[in-house]
């Protein structure tokens, strides 16, 4: 049985496998006492046999199948293991327009578990009934799905330091095998004076009492965060952290809430907390870095280098304001340089699932990744400069420190299959699997039908086209309304007119006709006249998936419900109006736009406290004029 291992070097990682075929004896340095011992011979993969001039002669071995340490809330038996705490479903969802339904949150949580994150912060349960139900659902479904190797993610709920929040958080996460309550209170002078209007002594007492209360509920895994720690008085931080340790906290998260600190500064803060806080050796120190100055990833890595063993991140770096530290950046930086520059730090992330996870979060939230985004951007592994292309053709390591395959970006089909109108279901399924998507049953049927329809109009479908079809058929909220038919008349000789046929969840069909300033505007107004739900269109964007006049168009819209549908903001505690994003894809830009608009409306209607009312007739005001 082959044992896959990795040879990590100065700036690259290559594979070594254990096998009984065509073997070579392992060098003596493989049997260093501090490293895993291999009893079988080694077979070098073909990729290792080709010249690699960028590979340093200073090798170290790290086994990719090395076990994840047994989970104990306040300790890690491997000093080099770093826990990855993903807060995409909580902090990431605070991005404007990134509202997710319970189904979408569950889908993302399942993918995060497949990715191998140690802790999933599933939400802020007190925010709304739907948030609480989503956390419960994730705790029951994902928090009890134990893999063959014993892995199951911790399911965490956020709570302010008050009993109502903590009760809601416990109600949400207690169904998981490994539940965690994450509670926080502000500790910086500016926050205590102007937001909390409380003295430092009062804040310490509240924090200690609420950690004790969380433990009294039966939760043995408590995370405490001193909000705005980056601007807090260090001596006060040591004091409050010592008290919450005494009260039963198992993880101390140090947030740079406003992205204020610099990497050296934040790393020193972590080191000082470990050195000056009594009891710090008996808990896990964590980081949570915002990206206001573009330093979230750098600060997070600096924290890890100075002793933090839990890193809080989000997929694609989404989150409040400028976002959070990006999971893919932090994890791949540790994978690429952790052995050499960070004293052997490692994570349990299955990096081959990064690309698919990134795509899922993009499609569900509508938060588009910029092309030059590290690791997952469209240009991350693209080379246009002649000098760079020349180097890449000679040796890939001249300009690539990572392989696209490392993060699941496989863009070539070794079998030579070209997908077109004559391709069958098996060929489509195979290519989707190569791209990291496992589809069966109704989902595969739906994508295949759209694939055949597009293939009749487009000679060859590229990977980007397939992912656009997935976006339009699979990564969609539960259907309340569905587009059946659409016809538009437009031009310079008359008023743009659109006729739309929709079907509701019961299959009943409705037809409406409307005029507008352009074909898209007319079509959306026709949709409004059928659905009769008051919404405001806030954002509209359209882009081509590939080049050429036959490209598939993808559309993203953001709407806000005019029905009072609010959630509570985690930091301010104030109600905020939710916004809902929707996406659509088609070779017809008007069809793509209508699908995106209906997708956003379906997402809005998916929330429990929004009720579809077919009888009320309320006009819709469009703040964005679309022509």
């Amino acid at each position: 049985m082959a044992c896959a291992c990795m040879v990590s070097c100065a700036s690259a990682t290559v594979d070594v496998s254990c096998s009984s075929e065509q073997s070579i004896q392992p060098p003596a340095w493989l049997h260093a006492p501090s490293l895993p011992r291999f009893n079988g011979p080694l077979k070098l993969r073909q990729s290792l046999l080709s010249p690699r001039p960028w590979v340093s002669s200073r090798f170290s071995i790290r086994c990719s199948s090395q076990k994840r340490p047994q989970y104990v809330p306040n300790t890690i038996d491997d000093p080099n293991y770093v826990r990855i705490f993903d807060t995409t479903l909580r902090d990431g969802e605070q991005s404007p327009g990134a509202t997710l339904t319970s189904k979408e949150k569950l889908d993302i949580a399942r993918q995060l578990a497949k990715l191998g994150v140690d802790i999933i912060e599933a939400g802020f349960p007190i925010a709304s009934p739907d948030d609480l139900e989503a956390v419960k659902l994730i705790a029951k479904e994902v928090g009890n799905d134990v893999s063959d190797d014993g892995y199951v993610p911790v399911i965490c709920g956020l709570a302010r330091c008050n009993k109502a929040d903590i009760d809601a958080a416990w109600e949400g996460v207690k169904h998981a095998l490994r539940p965690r309550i994450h509670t926080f209170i502000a500790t910086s002078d500016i926050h205590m004076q102007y937001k909390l209007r409380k003295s430092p002594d009062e804040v310490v007492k509240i924090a200690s009492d609420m950690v004790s209360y969380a433990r009294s509920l039966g939760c043995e895994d408590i995370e405490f965060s001193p909000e705005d720690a980056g601007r807090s008085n260090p001596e006060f931080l040591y004091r409050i952290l010592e008290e919450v340790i005494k009260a039963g906290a198992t993880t101390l998260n140090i947030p740079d809430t406003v992205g204020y600190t610099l990497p050296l500064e934040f790393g020193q803060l972590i080191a000082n907390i470990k050195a000056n806080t009594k009891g710090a050796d008996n808990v896990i120190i964590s980081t949570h870095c915002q990206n206001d100055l573009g330093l979230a990833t750098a600060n997070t890595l600096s924290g890890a280098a100075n002793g933090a063993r839990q890193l809080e991140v989000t997929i694609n770096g989404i989150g409040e304001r400028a976002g959070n530290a990006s999971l893919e950046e932090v994890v791949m930086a540790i994978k690429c340089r952790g052995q050499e520059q960070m004293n052997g730090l490692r994570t349990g992330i299955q990096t081959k699932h990064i690309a698919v996870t990134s795509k899922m979060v993009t499609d569900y939230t509508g938060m588009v990744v910029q092309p030059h985004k590290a690791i997952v951007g469209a240009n991350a592994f693209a080379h246009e400069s002649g000098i760079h292309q020349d180097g890449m053709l000679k040796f890939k390591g001249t300009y690539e420190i990572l392989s696209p395959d490392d993060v699941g970006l496989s863009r070539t089909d070794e079998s030579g299959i070209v997908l077109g109108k004559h391709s069958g279901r098996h060929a489509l399924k195979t290519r989707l699997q190569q791209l990291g998507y496992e589809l069966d049953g109704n989902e595969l049927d739906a994508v295949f039908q759209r694939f055949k329809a597009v293939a009749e109009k487009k000679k060859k479908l590229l990977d980007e086209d397939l992912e656009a079809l997935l976006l339009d058929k699979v990564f969609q909220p539960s259907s309340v309304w569905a587009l059946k038919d659409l016809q538009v008349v437009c031009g310079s000789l008359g008023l743009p007119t659109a006729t739309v046929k929709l079907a509701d969840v019961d299959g009943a069909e409705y037809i409406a006709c409307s005029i507008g300033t352009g074909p898209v505007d007319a079509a959306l107004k026709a949709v409004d006249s059928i659905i009769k739900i008051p919404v405001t269109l806030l954002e509209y964007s359209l882009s081509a998936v590939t080049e050429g006049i036959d490209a598939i168009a993808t559309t993203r819209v953001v709407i806000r419900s005019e029905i009072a549908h609010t959630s509570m903001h985690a930091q301010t505690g104030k109600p905020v109006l939710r916004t809902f994003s929707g996406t659509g894809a088609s070779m017809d830009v008007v069809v793509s736009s209508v699908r995106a608009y209906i997708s956003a409306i379906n997402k809005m209607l998916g929330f429990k406290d929004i009720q579809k009312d077919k009888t009320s007739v309320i006009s819709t005001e469009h703040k964005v004029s679309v022509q």
Side-chain angles (χ1 to χ4, degrees):
M1 179 176 179
C3 172
C5 308
M6 276 190 290
V7 183
S8 299
C9 50
S11 60
T13 302
V14 289
D15 290 330
V16 182
S17 298
C18 298
S19 174
S20 59
E21 302 174 12
Q22 300 177 2
S23 60
I24 62 172
Q25 286 302 117
W29 50 265
L30 261 177
H31 297 303
S34 60
L35 298 172
R37 188 173 185 87
F38 301 100
N39 295 321
L42 291 179
K43 174 188 173 184
L44 293 180
R45 292 186 181 172
Q46 189 171 359
S47 60
L48 183 60
L49 296 177
S50 59
R52 305 278 182 169
W54 69 93
V55 176
S56 165
S57 60
R58 295 175 289 118
F59 288 89
S60 60
I61 291 292
R62 178 165 56 88
C63 184
S64 62
S65 59
Q66 189 172 355
K67 288 186 177 180
R68 188 188 304 262
Q70 181 179 1
Y71 184 78
V72 179
N74 67 325
T75 188
I76 303 174
D77 60 20
D78 181 349
N80 292 333
Y81 186 83
V82 179
R83 289 175 180 167
I84 297 299
F85 178 113
D86 184 273
T87 183
T88 301
L89 297 176
R90 201 278 302 169
D91 198 320
E93 203 206 6
Q94 292 177 203
S95 303
T99 300
L100 299 166
T101 65
S102 295
K103 174 189 176 298
E104 291 170 336
K105 289 180 180 179
L106 179 61
D107 287 347
I108 292 175
R110 284 173 171 153
Q111 184 62 31
L112 290 173
K114 191 174 182 180
L115 185 63
V117 302
D118 299 275
I119 302 101
I120 298 173
E121 189 166 48
F124 182 38
I126 197 68
S128 72
D130 192 85
D131 284 271
L132 175 57
E133 289 304 312
V135 175
K136 278 186 181 179
L137 184 61
I138 291 169
K140 291 176 181 178
E141 296 286 336
V142 182
N144 287 276
D145 187 8
V146 184
S147 65
D148 293 339
D149 62 359
Y151 160 76
V152 61
V154 174
I155 306 300
C156 176
L158 183 69
R160 294 166 299 178
C161 276
N162 65 63
K163 289 186 177 181
D165 279 34
I166 292 172
D167 286 341
W170 181 236
E171 178 64 24
V173 304
K174 67 181 181 181
H175 305 282
L177 287 176
R178 294 174 179 168
R180 175 186 291 192
I181 294 174
H182 178 194
T183 188
F184 71 96
I185 193 169
T187 55
S188 65
D189 291 341
I190 190 170
H191 275 248
M192 289 190 290
Q193 179 180 351
Y194 293 104
K195 187 179 80 170
L196 299 180
R197 292 185 169 88
K198 295 186 182 299
S199 68
D201 288 343
E202 289 176 304
V203 170
V204 171
K205 186 176 188 309
I206 291 171
S208 177
D209 288 349
M210 289 303 101
V211 169
S212 294
Y213 179 70
R215 287 300 294 256
S216 74
L217 297 176
C219 185
E220 298 180 353
D221 193 350
I222 309 293
E223 178 172 338
F224 173 77
S225 290
E227 185 187 6
D228 203 21
R231 295 190 295 175
S232 297
N233 181 294
E235 294 300 325
F236 180 64
L237 274 182
Y238 308 151
R239 176 188 169 195
I240 193 171
L241 293 176
E242 179 182 344
E243 292 303 316
V244 297
I245 292 173
K246 291 178 182 177
T250 53
T251 298
L252 303 181
N253 179 50
I254 311 303
D256 184 17
T257 305
V258 292
Y260 179 71
T261 61
L262 301 180
L264 288 176
E265 184 181 12
F266 187 76
Q268 190 61 54
L269 174 63
I270 297 297
N272 290 344
I273 286 172
K274 287 180 66 67
N276 297 292
T277 302
K278 292 182 181 179
D281 290 340
N282 300 317
V283 296
I284 303 298
I285 304 297
S286 171
T287 69
H288 181 111
C289 299
Q290 299 290 136
N291 203 38
D292 296 70
L293 295 177
L295 297 171
T297 295
N299 284 344
T300 298
L301 293 172
S302 181
N306 282 276
R309 288 300 177 265
Q310 176 181 288
L311 308 180
E312 301 201 356
V313 292
T314 62
I315 300 297
N316 299 337
I318 64 172
E320 188 81 22
R321 301 185 311 281
N324 292 273
S326 162
L327 179 146
E328 58 274 10
E329 293 175 11
V330 170
V331 166
M332 294 310 294
I334 291 175
K335 181 173 182 177
C336 186
R337 306 304 307 280
Q339 186 73 18
E340 179 193 4
Q341 292 294 329
M342 303 179 75
N343 295 318
L345 292 189
R346 69 183 183 93
T347 74
I349 297 298
Q350 303 297 312
T351 62
K352 65 180 181 180
H353 297 300
I354 283 177
V356 172
T357 310
S358 170
K359 181 68 175 172
M360 175 180 284
V361 171
T362 294
D363 292 340
Y364 276 159
T365 64
M367 305 293 293
V368 180
V369 174
Q370 72 255 35
H372 56 280
K373 169 76 168 66
I375 312 299
V376 294
N379 295 344
F381 297 98
H383 305 271
E384 187 169 329
S385 163
I387 294 176
H388 287 212
Q389 290 175 344
D390 178 66
M392 286 292 294
L393 290 171
K394 293 175 178 175
F395 295 107
K396 290 182 179 179
T398 54
Y399 288 103
E400 274 190 1
I401 59 172
L402 300 169
S403 167
D405 293 335
D406 291 339
V407 296
L409 283 173
S410 175
R411 296 298 177 187
T412 58
D413 180 21
E414 295 179 359
S415 63
I417 295 176
V418 176
L419 295 177
K421 68 178 183 179
H422 299 297
S423 299
R425 189 186 307 268
H426 180 69
L428 175 64
K429 181 178 179 179
T430 299
R431 188 63 195 127
L432 290 175
Q433 288 175 335
Q434 291 170 349
L435 295 174
Y437 301 98
E438 296 287 344
L439 298 184
D440 286 298
N442 293 335
E443 287 186 338
L444 180 61
D445 291 341
V447 173
F448 184 68
Q449 289 175 7
R450 286 294 309 281
F451 163 76
K452 295 296 282 187
V454 173
E456 288 292 335
K457 303 175 184 178
K458 189 171 183 178
K459 184 175 181 180
K460 182 173 70 173
L461 273 73
L462 305 178
D463 293 340
E464 292 81 1
D465 296 315
L466 297 181
E467 291 183 331
L469 296 179
L470 285 173
L471 159 69
D472 198 47
K473 296 301 294 184
V474 179
F475 298 142
Q476 290 291 335
S478 298
S479 179
V480 179
W481 292 98
L483 176 64
K484 302 297 290 184
D485 293 304
L486 168 65
Q487 179 173 308
V488 296
V489 178
C490 61
S492 60
L493 298 179
L495 288 174
T497 306
T499 303
V500 173
K501 179 193 288 186
L502 302 182
D504 67 11
V505 69
D506 299 318
E509 295 183 345
Y510 302 81
I511 299 175
C513 182
S514 182
I515 61 173
T517 57
V520 173
D521 184 53
L524 300 192
K525 285 179 176 176
V527 171
D528 290 336
S529 67
I530 295 175
I531 295 177
K532 297 180 174 65
I533 295 291
V535 297
T536 299
L537 179 63
L538 301 175
E539 295 179 23
Y540 173 93
S541 61
L542 185 145
S543 60
V545 173
T546 58
E547 60 187 22
I549 60 174
D550 61 350
I552 292 176
T554 58
T555 306
R556 176 179 183 263
V557 303
V558 177
I559 64 173
R560 181 179 63 228
S561 171
E562 296 306 314
I563 301 174
H565 182 66
T566 62
S567 63
M568 186 184 300
H569 194 281
Q571 272 76 39
T572 65
K574 296 180 180 179
V576 293
L577 282 173
R578 286 188 183 271
T579 57
F580 303 87
S581 66
T583 54
S586 175
M587 295 181 72
D588 186 311
V589 296
V590 184
V591 174
S592 174
S593 301
V594 173
R595 282 179 174 157
Y597 192 59
I598 294 174
S599 172
I601 290 173
N602 282 336
K603 182 179 290 188
M604 179 186 70
L605 294 173
F607 279 77
K608 294 184 182 298
D609 49 344
I610 291 289
Q611 298 299 324
K612 183 177 66 173
D613 183 357
K614 297 181 184 178
T615 61
S616 62
V617 182
I618 307 175
S619 63
T620 301
E621 174 192 1
H622 290 279
K623 290 189 176 180
V624 179
S625 177
V626 182
Q627 300 182 19

